[in-house]
Amino acid sequence: MSGGRPPAESAEPVRDGATDRTPVADADVCVIGAGPAGGIVADRLAETGREVVILEAGPRFDDADRLARQERAIRPYYDRPAVWDGDPERDAYSSTGERFYPLNHARARGVGGSTLHWQGMVMRLHEADFDSRSVRGVGADWPIDYDDLRPYYAAAERELGVAGSQDNPFAPPREEPHPMPAFPPSYSDSLFAEACEELEIAMHSVPNARNSEPHDGRSACVGYGTCQPVCPSGAKYDATVHVERAERRGTTVIDRAPVQRLEHTADEITAAVYATPDGEEHRQAADAFVIACGGVETPRLLLLSESSRYPDGLANSSGLVGKFFMDHCFAGTGGVLDEPTRQNHVGFLTSESHQFYDEADAEYAPFKLEFFNYDGPSPIEMALTGDDWGDALLERLREGYGNHIGMGGLVEQLPREDSYVALDPDRIDDRGNPVPDVHWTVGDRALRTIERVNEIQERILAELGAELTWQVGPDNTGPAYHHMGTTRMGDDPAESVVGPDLRTHDLENCWIASSSVFPTGGAMNPTLTIAALALKAADHLLEAL
């Protein structure tokens, strides 16, 4: 099997002959978090010659270990957090909402962040998502509209390397083709297409941040099929692409350096206090700071940085830091057919439908339909979980593999003040800090919409002649692990945490690049919007510098 990732030009940041986690002198910008937002911001700033330092709480993973991590991922002995060295004590959290939120199931700490294990789908939000209150009568309006973000969407698609097509008649307008052609429909997509044609449901391709052809020095997808939680070939984008590019431009990356608190004056951050593996604490000073820790750790850090000036948490004069926590709710239905479906041959989505998305109103949320390529157990999973061998195993594989088929869907959750991230007063992490408490409240609109999604999925699978074997509906829905909304963007400092320029209202030298700034979530996977907002934040920061 050919192809693979080019080696990084440097591994650990090495200064003075050894791994050096001491602060960088005369830093222009300190970026906290080495995920896609932090990586993109750092790269854009470093390109202009700025002195940038990235502080990342987790480790730097060796690309050479990715095959071993893939093998770990397919073995039933390991749970998903173990693939990227999850640490229950370091990553401790609480969940006290009406629904349990399994935060660590899809959390990766390290250089690359959540893109180390994401699936890689990258859609733009629809135009009405930016004007939910005005158009749909619920939620909130963003202080920017689709046209404001449109050039940044195009730039983000170039930065990530997106394979896509213009075959989606329901997508918002765009200005240029995707950088690479879309992946072709899978075999099971063709089965779905026959049923959807009868039901007059449109299918179209999925834009993916993975290479359909060699691109940006990385190979085309070679079909490992384990995209979530690990891509050994590097064909799927992850944030190490931008972090390593920023390093080549002079950025310093300090890994295993969790920021404990932010020191500040009345209107500026003066330093990020971070810990190192040897138990020491250091102060990284800078002219400007970018918090890019995601929708949970970003509000947690601000709340941990409380002071007499900000007794309720830093940048929290509005009282809204941590409030309006949102995720996308999952709806799914699956079954079996009396014919091969070739599921588990492709590890990502190649077809979906946005046909019903813009029918959203106050009663029903926007949603998209997903046509799975990976329902049912894989042959490896079946072989490793049974007690039979030889002919008996072969017979079980023949009878139980290859005829599963499934659908998914993402549903918008409205922003609610009773859905939030707070500090747990009774539980601490390995550094003695209060852990995040995720209080997840979904709401009736999302639950009604999940029922509607299930009904459409049942119609499609019935048209296929499938026997239904599972369903995720309103009662057992779970999150898509898209953390949004906890430092929302707005024009009014009393009703938001950051302005349209992504700078906090309270602090002159602090920007937030994260899905935490989303006023609403829509029903599209958020990473492309995160990348677009990161580019926008970088532009505003450069103007300020």
Side-chain angles (χ1 to χ4, degrees):
M1 188 174 292
S2 61
R5 303 172 61 87
E9 290 190 10
S10 62
E12 291 267 11
V14 176
R15 307 198 295 278
D16 301 327
T19 299
D20 184 354
R21 292 186 171 86
T22 57
V24 174
D26 300 321
D28 295 314
V29 183
C30 173
V31 178
I32 303 170
I40 286 171
V41 168
D43 180 53
R44 179 59 61 93
L45 298 176
E47 185 180 20
T48 67
R50 307 293 176 174
E51 184 71 51
V52 182
V53 56
I54 300 176
L55 300 177
E56 167 54 46
R60 183 191 296 264
F61 298 104
D62 190 338
D63 286 347
D65 294 337
R66 291 203 176 193
L67 273 175
R69 295 187 187 280
Q70 180 205 35
E71 292 175 5
R72 186 184 298 177
I74 63 179
R75 292 181 181 273
Y77 175 81
Y78 297 97
D79 62 10
R80 182 168 166 178
V83 175
W84 293 103
D85 301 346
D87 183 330
E89 185 178 359
R90 180 197 66 188
D91 304 333
Y93 72 98
S94 298
S95 178
T96 60
E98 67 175 27
R99 290 174 182 263
F100 176 72
Y101 195 90
L103 180 62
N104 281 351
H105 178 72
R107 190 154 61 152
R109 290 279 189 94
V111 176
S114 60
T115 54
L116 293 170
H117 66 177
W118 70 321
Q119 197 173 49
M121 296 180 291
V122 280
M123 307 86 175
R124 300 183 182 193
L125 288 173
H126 284 210
E127 291 166 289
D129 289 325
F130 294 88
D131 302 299
S132 180
R133 168 62 64 179
S134 298
V135 175
R136 297 168 180 157
V138 290
D141 289 345
W142 292 46
I144 60 175
D145 60 23
Y146 176 75
D147 285 340
D148 291 325
L149 208 56
R150 186 170 168 177
Y152 290 106
Y153 270 136
E157 288 167 346
R158 293 191 297 270
E159 289 291 333
L160 302 184
V162 176
S165 172
Q166 299 193 62
D167 66 333
N168 180 357
F170 313 105
R174 55 182 304 111
E175 49 298 305
E176 60 189 46
H178 293 87
M180 289 174 283
F183 286 88
S186 68
Y187 176 79
S188 61
D189 285 345
S190 69
L191 301 179
F192 281 119
E194 293 177 8
C196 286
E197 185 175 3
E198 289 295 320
L199 298 173
E200 298 184 339
I201 295 174
M203 293 176 63
H204 48 78
S205 63
V206 179
N208 277 279
R210 57 173 46 78
N211 294 349
S212 60
E213 58 189 23
H215 178 80
D216 194 29
R218 297 177 288 124
S219 78
C221 175
V222 295
Y224 278 108
T226 58
C227 318
Q228 199 174 34
V230 57
C231 173
S233 72
K236 181 185 73 174
Y237 169 85
D238 68 65
T240 62
V241 169
H242 279 97
V243 172
E244 291 169 3
R245 185 188 302 167
E247 283 185 288
R248 293 192 289 269
R249 288 171 166 159
T251 293
T252 299
V253 178
I254 304 178
D255 72 338
R256 290 184 284 173
V259 176
Q260 308 296 291
R261 61 192 178 277
L262 299 169
E263 295 181 347
H264 54 275
T265 62
D267 55 10
E268 284 192 340
I269 296 175
T270 55
V273 179
Y274 63 94
T276 53
D278 59 9
E280 297 294 318
E281 283 193 353
H282 300 279
R283 296 176 69 261
Q284 177 62 60
D287 296 329
F289 292 80
V290 178
I291 306 176
C293 309
V296 173
E297 291 297 328
T298 292
R300 182 194 181 206
L301 176 58
L302 293 173
L303 294 172
L304 287 173
S305 302
E306 55 84 23
S307 65
S308 58
R309 175 66 177 84
Y310 294 102
D312 298 319
L314 190 59
N316 196 24
S317 62
S318 65
L320 296 180
V321 168
K323 299 293 180 65
F324 301 114
F325 174 75
M326 299 175 288
D327 205 317
H328 294 130
C329 298
F330 178 75
T333 307
V336 293
L337 291 178
D338 289 331
E339 63 176 296
T341 61
R342 299 186 190 172
Q343 291 276 289
N344 280 297
H345 285 212
V346 181
F348 55 95
L349 299 182
T350 45
S351 292
E352 60 182 7
S353 177
H354 297 179
Q355 178 170 330
F356 307 97
Y357 195 94
D358 288 322
E359 295 177 5
D361 55 20
E363 188 77 6
Y364 289 99
F367 67 89
K368 67 185 179 82
L369 295 173
E370 302 173 333
F371 300 93
F372 283 174
N373 287 322
Y374 40 76
D375 193 54
S378 70
I380 295 173
E381 181 182 349
M382 294 179 69
L384 292 176
T385 54
D387 296 325
D388 44 9
W389 300 93
D391 291 342
L393 173 59
L394 183 59
E395 184 63 25
R396 184 160 65 89
L397 289 172
R398 285 172 175 164
E399 292 179 355
Y401 169 69
N403 63 342
H404 292 78
I405 196 158
M407 293 187 63
L410 293 189
V411 174
E412 180 187 57
Q413 172 198 343
L414 285 175
R416 301 164 54 110
E417 282 203 57
D418 61 352
S419 189
Y420 57 84
V421 175
L423 299 180
D424 187 329
D426 300 318
R427 190 175 183 187
I428 58 175
D429 64 11
D430 61 339
R431 297 284 178 178
N433 294 315
V435 304
D437 175 18
V438 182
H439 191 102
W440 190 39
T441 305
V442 171
D444 292 339
R445 179 175 179 256
L447 299 178
R448 281 193 301 271
T449 308
I450 292 170
E451 288 183 345
R452 185 183 179 203
V453 175
N454 287 157
E455 290 169 359
I456 297 171
Q457 293 167 337
E458 289 171 5
R459 286 169 49 208
I460 294 171
L461 291 171
E463 183 68 31
L464 272 171
E467 174 190 350
L468 300 188
T469 57
W470 64 269
Q471 186 165 79
V472 176
D475 293 337
N476 61 338
T477 186
Y481 305 101
H482 300 154
H483 310 144
M484 301 173 286
T486 50
T487 59
R488 60 161 34 182
M489 183 197 320
D491 289 316
D492 185 351
E495 300 293 335
S496 56
V497 178
V498 303
D501 59 356
L502 289 309
R503 177 161 36 186
T504 60
H505 293 302
D506 296 348
L507 302 162
E508 294 180 358
N509 68 338
C510 178
W511 283 257
I512 297 179
S514 166
S515 54
S516 65
V517 306
F518 289 18
T520 57
M524 296 297 171
N525 304 60
T527 302
L528 187 69
T529 304
I530 293 171
L533 289 172
L535 291 166
K536 188 175 189 298
D539 278 357
H540 291 302
L541 199 159
L542 285 169
E543 290 173 3
L545 290 176

